[in-house]
């Protein structure tokens, strides 16, 4: 199990990447910053960075509009 | 899976880069110095000077390439300083030196490339000036890429090639943005400041230029403001369950793709260039639809130009259940033409439609109009009536507050329902964000002194999606900073869009609480302020400037008998589910909330009981966050500024104190 944004629980699976987490959460926003266990993951690594089990993933959406 | 990282070797050093990175950027990443002339970090490379030449080998083949515009797609080996490369650069430098012997950047370049004899390749035309134009083309690209104009270009051939404006005359389309001068390596383009005596025009220019560069380089991958403007938010809001649908009952709809930015861009927008709403602005977020044939109203059959639609207009239409793009454009046109705000009209009609569908009002109340959700034609009829001062339109034109008060008097059995679903606060209709799942946003809207206006809609992602301001104190801090920041740059006449509709590439380096403020862009604003006034700002000074105005607004409101505690309480639709239909649409979320946050097992409860428990809990939470926000602002429990706060801000004038003490006394008696 991994925790997203200190709130949502997501079933973990082996070789799960950051991109898989974003897909599961439906996060398609363009201004996103992702950290896994407090380590910043660059955009180009989303589909190769493997998320370990029990990880704390933060998906920060920068507000725009309004 | 396709790999995005490519290994390569540069001067014997192994490294990896993201596919598509230019060779020059890969070289610079290793801190290897190579000469460049036509390249500028913020412009598209064009490979014209050929000084950045390097030798690459791939599959045993060797080749000279210009590194600034060579994208790395395969693993290669690179040499940046071998004899062949050096000879090539030296010859080029000698030619530049032969033509521009006194230009400092050319002299430096020649020295770097060991080219010393200015007469070896002497040009037929030698330019003796120290700031001669060396035909690098940076200015041409800057004008086109930063500001989307084509004021500058080259004319003539061969040795007679030169930089010019059309017909060799000063082009009136030049907005004087100075981007061309900013990127010029020789000073060939000079800036003559003829402005209203700013303290430091260069400071303003340099920071404005940062925004221009971000727009050119980052906007296409971020919010696409140049491409579709604020309409880009339509699909985002729908995806995140935040798009108001059917008077804010829901946050998504299957028909949203019919009115999203893709439809607008592909079939409607015909204009997207800078429209000078902010002189020299490179963002060009305003869009327009040309040749739109109207189907209704006084201009029926005319082909017109429509400014927009923007996000809030589309949101107003989804709120009315009107997912018809032709309707959206026509509604937009007539609201603009009649001088009506699309947000207030959308929210008011959505309220009317819900009251109609719930049977609170009938065709007797609407002069025969069947105002179900999605009744596009009837909305337009109402809009035309409003402009003519006739029929039901006259009532609609007076807004949600008027209608809910009127109908509550006529039909007291519906009073509670009408007050729950009438989405207004302080007399202003809520803007088009469905805020019921974000406590901070509810307060952001409802505590805004001017009413729940759309420029207060920034906390929704921070709170609901990111969960980044979980405690009441965190929310109160955000409710302190963001509205004051907003008030501050509004007071300076600065546009909001360049604050957070494009974000610096390295904004990710900040922790979330800071990143949300976009510190580099706040700094841009401070530099604009300093450049004009000569006064340096920091966060505290900025917030205090703003807080003075904010507190004065509050005092004026109280003086007029407004801005009381009751005005800070939202209609329940802004906070939670009013109807069973709404509860059911999100029952998983609400049942979980009952179990995990309130500590009640929902299983044996009826929907009505569950809704009641959620309501009590959420309104209690709202009151807590409201009190935390008051405290942070230096206000008392009735939302009235404390005298100490006025003293801190230097606005403790006796007449203000008198107004506040009177209001405080009344609040104590009433609450
Ligand atoms: S000042 Fe701006 S608009 Fe005018 S020519 Fe230079 S880049 Fe183009
Ligand atoms: S004016 Fe400056 S930027 Fe433009 S082509 Fe000449 S040297 Fe380059
Ligand atoms: S810098 Fe690469 S060709 Fe000019």
């Amino acid at each position: 199990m991994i925790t997203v944004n200190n709130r949502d629980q997501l079933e973990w699976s082996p070789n799960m990447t950051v991109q898989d987490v974003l897909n599961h959460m439906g996060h398609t926003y363009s201004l996103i910053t992702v950290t896994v266990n407090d380590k910043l993951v660059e955009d180009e690594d989303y589909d190769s960075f493997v998320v370990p089990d029990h990880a704390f993933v933060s998906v920060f959406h920068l507000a725009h509009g309004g | 899976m396709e790999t995005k990282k490519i290994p390569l070797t540069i001067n014997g050093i192994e490294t990896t880069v993201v596919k598509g990175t230019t060779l020059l950027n890969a070289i610079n990443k290793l801190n290897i110095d190579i000469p460049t002339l036509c390249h500028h970090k913020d412009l598209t490379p064009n490979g014209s000077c050929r000084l950045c030449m390097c030798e690459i080998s791939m599959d045993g083949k060797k080749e000279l390439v210009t590194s600034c515009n060579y994208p790395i797609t395969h693993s290669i080996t690179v040499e940046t300083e071998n004899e062949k490369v050096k000879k090539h650069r030296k010859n080029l430098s000698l030619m530049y030196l032969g033509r521009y012997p006194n230009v400092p950047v050319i002299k430096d370049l020649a020295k770097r490339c060991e080219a010393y004899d200015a007469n070896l390749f002497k040009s037929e035309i030698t330019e003796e000036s120290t700031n001669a134009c060396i035909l690098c083309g940076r200015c041409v690209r800057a004008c086109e890429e930063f500001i989307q104009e084509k004021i500058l270009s080259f004319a003539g051939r061969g040795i007679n090639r030169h930089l010019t404006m059309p017909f060799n005359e000063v082009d009136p389309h030049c907005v004087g943005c100075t981007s061309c001068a900013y990127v010029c390596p020789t000073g060939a383009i000079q800036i003559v400041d003829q402005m209203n005596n700013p303290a430091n025009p260069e400071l303003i220019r340099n920071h404005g230029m940062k925004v221009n560069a971000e727009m050119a380089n980052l906007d296409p991958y971020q919010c696409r403001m140049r491409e579709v403007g604020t309409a880009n938010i339509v699909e985002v809001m729908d995806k995140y369950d935040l798009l108001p649908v059917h008077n804010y009952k829901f946050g998504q709809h299957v028909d949203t793709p019919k009115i999203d930015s893709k439809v607008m861009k592909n079939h409607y927008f015909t204009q997207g260039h800078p429209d000078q709403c902010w002189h020299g602005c490179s963002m060009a977020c305003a869009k327009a639809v040309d040749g739109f044939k109207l189907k209704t109203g006084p201009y029926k059959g005319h082909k017109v130009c429509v400014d927009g639609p923007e996000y809030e207009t589309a949101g107003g239409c989804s709120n009315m259940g009107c997912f018809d793009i032709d309707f959206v454009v026509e509604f937009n046109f007539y609201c603009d033409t009649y001088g009506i705000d699309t947000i207030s009209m959308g929210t008011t009609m959505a309220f009317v439609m819900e009251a109609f569908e719930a049977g609170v009002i009938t065709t007797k109340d609407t002069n025969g109009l069947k105002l179900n959700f999605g009744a596009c034609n009837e909305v337009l009829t109402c809009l035309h009536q409003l402009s003519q001062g006739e029929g039901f339109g006259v009532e609609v034109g007076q807004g949600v507050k008027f209608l809910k008060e009127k109908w509550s008097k006529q039909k007291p059995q519906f009073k509670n329902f009408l007050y729950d679903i009438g989405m207004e606060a302080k007399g202003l209709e809520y803007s088009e964000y469905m805020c019921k799942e974000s406590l901070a946003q509810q307060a952001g809207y409802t505590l805004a002194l001017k009413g729940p206006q759309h420029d207060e809609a920034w906390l929704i992602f921070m709170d609901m999606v990111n969960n980044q301001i979980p405690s009441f104190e965190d929310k109160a801090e955000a409710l302190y900073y963001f509205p004051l920041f907003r008030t501050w740059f509004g007071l300076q006449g600065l546009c909001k869009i360049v604050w957070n509709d494009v974000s610096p590439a390295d904004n990710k380096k900040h922790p979330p609480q800071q990143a949300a403020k976009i510190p580099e862009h706040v700094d841009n604003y401070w530099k604009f302020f300093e450049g004009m006034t000569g006064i340096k700002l920091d966060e505290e000074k900025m917030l205090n400037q703003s807080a003075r105005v904010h507190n004065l607004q509050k005092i004026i409101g109280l003086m007029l008998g407004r801005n009381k505690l009751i005005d800070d309480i939202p209609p329940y639709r802004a906070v939670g589910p009013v109807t069973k239909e709404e509860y059911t649409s999100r029952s998983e979320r609400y049942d979980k909330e009952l179990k995990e946050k309130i500590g009640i097992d929902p299983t044996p409860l009826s929907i009505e009981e569950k809704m009641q428990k959620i309501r009590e809990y959420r309104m209690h939470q709202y009151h807590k966050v409201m009190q935390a926000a008051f405290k942070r602002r230096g206000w008392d429990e009735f939302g009235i500024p404390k005298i100490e706060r006025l003293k801190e801000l230097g606005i403790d004038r006796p007449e203000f104190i008198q107004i506040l003490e009177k209001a405080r006394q009344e609040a104590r008696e009433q609450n």
Side-chain angles (χ1 to χ4, degrees), chain B residues 139 142-143 147 149 151-152 165 173-180:
Chain B
C139 55
C143 189
I147 201 84
E149 288 289 0
I151 310 289
L152 299 167
M165 284 193 182
H173 294 100
C174 168
V175 293
C177 70
T178 72
S179 302
C180 46

Side-chain angles (χ1 to χ4, degrees), chain B residues 231-345:
Chain B
N232 76 78
I233 314 172
V234 178
E235 45 268 39
V236 174
M237 290 297 124
D238 187 77
K239 187 86 193 167
Y240 284 84
D241 203 12
L242 297 168
L243 184 77
V245 171
H246 294 182
N247 196 28
Y248 305 89
K249 277 195 237 181
F250 315 112
Q252 290 175 320
H253 198 278
V254 286
D255 287 332
T256 302
K258 292 181 181 169
I259 59 165
D260 71 8
S261 72
K262 291 182 207 76
V263 183
M264 292 192 206
K265 176 173 185 266
N266 293 339
H267 305 292
Y268 289 86
F269 290 151
T270 45
Q271 290 183 38
H273 45 255
D275 71 348
Q276 303 300 311
C277 84
W278 198 17
H279 190 67
C281 173
S282 56
M283 188 169 260
C285 63
K287 301 286 162 268
V289 182
D290 285 300
F292 182 79
K293 195 168 174 186
L294 296 165
K295 296 191 187 77
T296 68
Y299 300 109
K300 184 176 172 181
H302 287 225
K303 285 193 173 174
V304 295
C305 174
V306 189
D307 180 7
E310 291 208 48
Y311 165 70
E312 294 278 351
T313 301
C317 294
S318 64
N319 214 1
M320 297 184 281
C322 295
F323 294 92
D324 174 340
I325 188 71
D326 278 325
F327 164 81
V328 176
V329 179
E330 183 138 352
F331 175 75
N332 195 148
F333 173 82
Y334 274 117
C335 281
D336 287 356
T337 303
Y338 297 148
I340 296 164
D341 168 33
T342 52
I343 302 174
S344 286
M345 186 68 190

Side-chain angles (χ1 to χ4, degrees), chain B residues 540 544-545 547-548 551-552 555 633-635 640-658 660-661 664:
Chain B
E540 196 189 347
N544 280 346
Q545 278 187 358
R548 278 186 205 108
N551 280 279
L552 282 172
I555 293 167
R633 290 176 181 183
W635 295 358
I640 295 171
K642 293 182 183 169
I643 306 306
E644 301 96 86
R645 182 62 178 144
L646 260 52
K647 280 192 181 137
E648 275 167 28
L649 295 171
I651 50 169
D652 52 331
R653 297 166 66 108
E655 53 272 51
F656 297 160
I657 293 175
Q658 204 184 349
L660 293 185
E661 291 308 0
R664 214 182 315 278

Side-chain angles (χ1 to χ4, degrees), chain B residues 135 281 363 384 534:
Chain B
L135 305 175
C281 173
T363 47
H384 299 313

Side-chain angles (χ1 to χ4, degrees), chain B residues 133-139 154 163 184-186 188-189:
Chain B
C133 168
I134 57 167
L135 305 175
C136 68
R138 288 188 193 183
C139 55
F154 291 114
L163 184 73
C184 177
T186 70
I189 299 178

Side-chain angles (χ1 to χ4, degrees), chain B residues 29-257:
Chain B
K29 213 172 117 189
L30 295 177
N31 292 324
I32 296 170
D33 168 55
I34 63 165
T36 60
L37 195 55
C38 65
H39 179 73
H40 186 279
K41 67 177 178 35
D42 297 325
L43 297 171
T44 310
N46 76 345
S48 61
C49 75
R50 309 196 73 74
L51 279 155
C52 64
M53 195 73 92
C54 296
E55 189 171 60
I56 62 163
S57 17
M58 184 169 49
D59 302 332
K61 278 192 214 146
K62 291 196 168 192
E63 193 187 352
L64 282 177
V65 297
T66 46
S67 62
C68 67
N69 63 347
Y70 182 87
I72 297 164
T73 54
H74 294 88
S75 187
I76 50 173
T77 304
V78 185
E79 287 187 63
T80 69
E81 290 291 331
N82 67 20
E83 287 311 312
K84 207 195 298 180
V85 169
K86 282 197 322 207
K87 187 172 166 213
H88 180 89
R89 283 190 199 140
K90 183 173 173 178
N91 284 339
L92 280 171
S93 306
L94 285 167
M95 284 189 249
Y96 274 109
L97 200 59
R99 179 151 184 188
Y100 313 106
N102 300 318
V103 174
V105 51
I106 296 295
K107 292 203 304 197
D108 289 350
L109 174 82
K111 205 164 146 199
R112 158 77 176 77
C113 298
E114 296 169 6
Y116 303 108
D117 188 352
N119 293 318
L120 195 59
F121 292 141
K122 195 150 180 70
S123 169
E124 275 175 49
I125 303 174
T126 301
E127 317 244 359
E128 298 294 343
S129 161
T130 52
N131 52 8
C133 168
I134 57 167
L135 305 175
C136 68
R138 288 188 193 183
C139 55
V140 177
R141 280 175 281 150
C143 189
E144 196 168 338
E145 293 172 20
F146 283 9
I147 201 84
Q148 296 180 291
E149 288 289 0
K150 289 187 178 177
I151 310 289
L152 299 167
S153 64
F154 291 114
R157 283 169 182 259
I159 200 144
N160 294 316
R161 189 170 161 82
H162 63 281
L163 184 73
T164 182
M165 284 193 182
F167 308 110
N168 234 348
E169 285 173 9
V170 175
D171 188 326
H173 294 100
C174 168
V175 293
C177 70
T178 72
S179 302
C180 46
Y182 173 74
V183 297
C184 177
T186 70
I189 299 178
Q190 301 277 325
I191 299 163
V192 181
D193 283 318
Q194 288 180 326
M195 296 186 282
N196 47 349
N197 301 318
N200 184 349
E202 205 181 341
L203 193 66
I204 301 175
R205 257 197 315 272
N206 289 344
H207 284 265
M209 219 50 71
K210 277 168 61 184
V211 179
N212 286 348
E214 284 170 3
M215 280 316 297
N217 296 311
L218 302 174
D219 176 58
Y221 312 100
Q222 294 186 356
C223 303
R224 301 180 297 125
M225 297 300 285
R226 281 183 169 181
E227 192 187 331
V228 292
T230 58
N232 76 78
I233 314 172
V234 178
E235 45 268 39
V236 174
M237 290 297 124
D238 187 77
K239 187 86 193 167
Y240 284 84
D241 203 12
L242 297 168
L243 184 77
V245 171
H246 294 182
N247 196 28
Y248 305 89
K249 277 195 237 181
F250 315 112
Q252 290 175 320
H253 198 278
V254 286
D255 287 332
T256 302

